[in-house]
Every structure is written in C-alpha cells, then in structure tokens.
Amino acid sequence: MNALAAIGEALVLIGTFFYLLSALGLIRMPDVYNRMQTSTKSATLGSLGVMVGVGIWALGTDFGSAAWLTKTVVIAVFLLLTNPISAHALIRAAYKSGIPLWEGSVVDKYREHLEAGEKKKAETPEASEETPEEGGEE
Amino acid sequence: MGEASKISRYLYTVIVLFLIWLAITASLDVQELGFGLLLSLIVAAFTYEIFTTNGLANLHPRRIAYMIAYIPYFLWAMIKANIDVAYRVLHPKRPIRPGIVKCRTVLSSDVGKLALANSITLTPGTITLDVDDDEYFIHWIWVPDEALVESEEEHVKASSEGITVPFEKFLKVIFG
C-alpha cells in the first residue's frame, strides 16, 4: 500500500459514488429531459474517475506499469468526447418524437423556433412539409 | 479562415493518429513505432479529407497553450456540475425548474460549435438540444429569473451569459 495506490482507490470510490447518483437520478427525476441531465453528467464523471483511478492504482502496484495509465486515459478521453454527443442525439430524438416536457417546465423556446420555421415554410408554397416535428429542419 | 493545403491537412492527421498510437501501445520500441507510423500514414490517406479543414494551423502554440489551460478549467466545471447534480438528486424537495432556453454564440467554425455543445452538456444543469447556425437550444434544469423575461433579446443575453460565455473565451482561440 503506497500513496499512488491510495489515490487510485480514492478515485475509484468517488467514481462509483457518482455512478450511484446517476442511477438515483434516473429514478427521482420527473421526465426524460431531466433524467438525461443527471445520468449523462454523473455517468461521465463517474467513468472518468473509475478509469483514471484504475490507471493510477496500477502504477502503485508491483505488476503495474505506465502502460495502464496511458491506456485508461485514452479510453477516458474517448468517453469524454462521445458521451455528450450520444446524450445530445437521444434528447433531440426524444423531442422530435413528441415527448412532452414536465408540467413544471417554465419556458420552451425550441417550440417557438420550430413554429417560426414552420410559418416560413408555409409562406413558400413549393417547400411545404406535412410533418410538423420537422419544421425547423433544413 | 480558409481551407489549408492538402499536404498540411494530411500531415496533421498523421500526427494526431500517431499520438493516439503512442498512447495506446505505450511502448517506445523501434518496431512498434515504425509500424505505427506506417499505419498512421495509410489511415490518414483515407481519412484526412473529413478529419480537418485547418491542417497544421491547429498546432499553433497559442492554440495549444489555450487548450492546455482549458482542460483544468473544463474539469473543474464538470466537478461543479456533478456536485450540483448530487444536490438536486439527494435534496428531498427535488429543486428543479426546467425549461428550454435559447443562446447565441460568437463561434464560427463547426468544430468549435461541437466543442461548445459538448462542454455545455457536461457542465452545471445544462444539456444541448439543438444547434441551428449560431443559435443553441439548451435544456436548463434551473432557469434563473433573469432568463424568464418576455423580451427575446434580454432572454438570449441573460441565458448566453449563464451558459456559453464562460467557455467562449477559450474556444474562440482554440477553434476560431
């Protein structure tokens, strides 16, 4: 047991704590948008903590080498870059398929934007679309 | 910013691929390095056209310095975001006031917009819903009072200051 292993263990512990929060957020939040909020953020930082923690932990043990740390950091960076994109695609698809916001929501500027695009399209007769959800699209 | 020459874009792709190879193999053996370089050259020949438009200009020292400064800033914002999430999930009253707000950005490049959208998704209480030209539609878990005004201009100004402006000073330099 040395300092590096201790830091790694602490990071893994923090990471799993955020995993727990992420799962708890899925249960407690009222609608799909707020669930995406909590699960994306906590799961990303949780994975980051666990992976970098494992890398540092391995440095402190006698079988570990620097290769552990570089590989885990590459995976962590990859996850950090791709996780928000999947969240973005999911939440946008949810909105486009008509899932309503929670009734406590205070403002919806995206609906106004889509309706404005709809109106613009209706004024130019050759580009009239039937599907209302796709109104703001090119 | 115009498009860089093909050679510069190709070389930039090779450099990025080779750095990833270095990190994944984590070995400085001559054979491994040589094979990695060969693979980078081949893969870059197929992919450089979609990978980058600026080429070697991305490796300007000022951009790299800003990128290195951006990493701890971003990680700190992410940790704050998670403490915020922890508070909202664990608090018995569940203090959320969600809504979709509209922001404007000053960034012009597509990669910059992507980086900003990713940064927004991972920072306190916000998640990007859609990007249309310079307009961002963002789901905010706690819309503050300043953003709840009738006037469109004031709404955009207030929400931009809360969400996009802190990152733009870095991303403007890194991606233009």
Side-chain angles (χ1 to χ4, degrees):
Chain A
M1 183 79 184
N2 56 29
L4 280 173
I7 292 171
E9 280 168 24
L11 277 176
V12 172
L13 207 63
I14 293 169
T16 45
F17 173 66
F18 281 121
Y19 275 145
L20 178 72
L21 279 182
S22 164
L24 208 62
L26 281 179
I27 299 167
R28 277 189 56 99
M29 287 295 152
D31 73 348
V32 63
Y33 305 98
N34 293 307
R35 282 184 190 144
M36 289 304 296
Q37 293 260 16
T38 53
S39 61
T40 309
K41 286 183 240 295
S42 308
T44 312
L45 192 76
S47 320
L48 217 67
V50 169
M51 282 188 273
V52 176
V54 165
I56 294 174
W57 194 348
L59 281 185
T61 56
D62 45 356
F63 61 88
S65 68
W68 283 76
L69 188 59
T70 57
K71 274 173 207 175
T72 49
V73 166
V74 167
I75 301 169
V77 169
F78 180 75
L79 199 92
L80 191 65
L81 292 179
T82 51
N83 216 353
I85 298 175
S86 67
H88 165 65
L90 276 173
I91 195 171
R92 188 166 177 278
Y95 198 98
K96 293 276 179 189
S97 56
I99 294 172
L101 291 169
W102 183 47
E103 61 268 21
S105 304
V106 285
V107 58
D108 187 354
K109 290 282 172 188
Y110 191 48
R111 174 64 61 206
E112 293 167 22
H113 173 73
L114 288 181
E115 275 161 9
E118 188 88 341
K119 222 171 270 170
K120 211 179 283 166
K121 231 169 221 175
E123 278 161 18
T124 53
E126 71 271 14
S128 55
E129 281 266 350
E130 285 301 307
T131 49
E133 276 83 17
E134 293 294 317
E137 287 298 295
E138 294 282 345
Chain B
M1 193 181 296
E3 216 163 81
S5 72
K6 283 191 169 183
I7 306 252
S8 144
R9 284 158 69 193
Y10 178 67
L11 284 178
Y12 176 68
T13 314
V14 171
I15 291 171
V16 171
L17 286 171
F18 190 61
L19 285 178
I20 296 173
W21 173 273
L22 270 185
I24 288 180
T25 57
S27 121
L28 292 175
D29 192 64
V30 179
Q31 282 186 353
E32 293 235 33
L33 290 185
F35 193 63
L37 193 61
L38 186 71
L39 281 182
S40 315
L41 290 169
I42 294 169
V43 173
F46 286 111
T47 56
Y48 78 96
E49 278 181 358
I50 49 169
F51 183 64
T52 172
T53 54
N54 290 338
L56 289 174
N58 283 335
L59 296 177
H60 191 281
R62 191 168 134 84
R63 289 186 168 179
I64 293 181
Y66 266 77
M67 205 175 290
I68 291 169
Y70 184 60
I71 291 168
Y73 181 82
F74 173 70
L75 284 179
W76 174 238
M78 234 178 106
I79 292 165
K80 267 200 307 199
N82 278 278
I83 293 167
D84 182 68
V85 166
Y87 165 72
R88 287 190 202 290
V89 169
L90 296 175
H91 194 284
K93 279 201 192 120
R94 202 175 58 189
I96 57 174
R97 189 166 75 183
I100 296 172
V101 299
K102 181 159 132 186
C103 292
R104 232 169 237 131
T105 179
V106 297
L107 299 172
S108 53
S109 74
D110 282 348
V111 190
K113 282 179 194 165
L114 172 70
L116 181 59
N118 272 1
S119 307
I120 288 169
T121 300
L122 290 175
T123 47
T126 51
I127 185 164
T128 314
L129 198 86
D130 201 356
V131 182
D132 193 5
D133 280 336
D134 63 341
E135 288 171 350
Y136 278 73
F137 294 92
I138 291 161
H139 186 267
W140 207 346
I141 205 168
W142 181 264
V143 181
D145 291 329
E146 307 93 72
L148 282 179
V149 287
E150 283 296 309
S151 140
E152 183 81 12
E153 282 306 308
E154 278 176 42
H155 166 80
V156 170
K157 190 165 172 289
S159 53
S160 297
E161 250 155 47
I163 297 172
T164 58
V165 170
F167 295 111
E168 275 176 349
K169 59 178 186 275
F170 289 95
L171 293 174
K172 184 87 193 124
V173 180
I174 300 175
F175 298 107

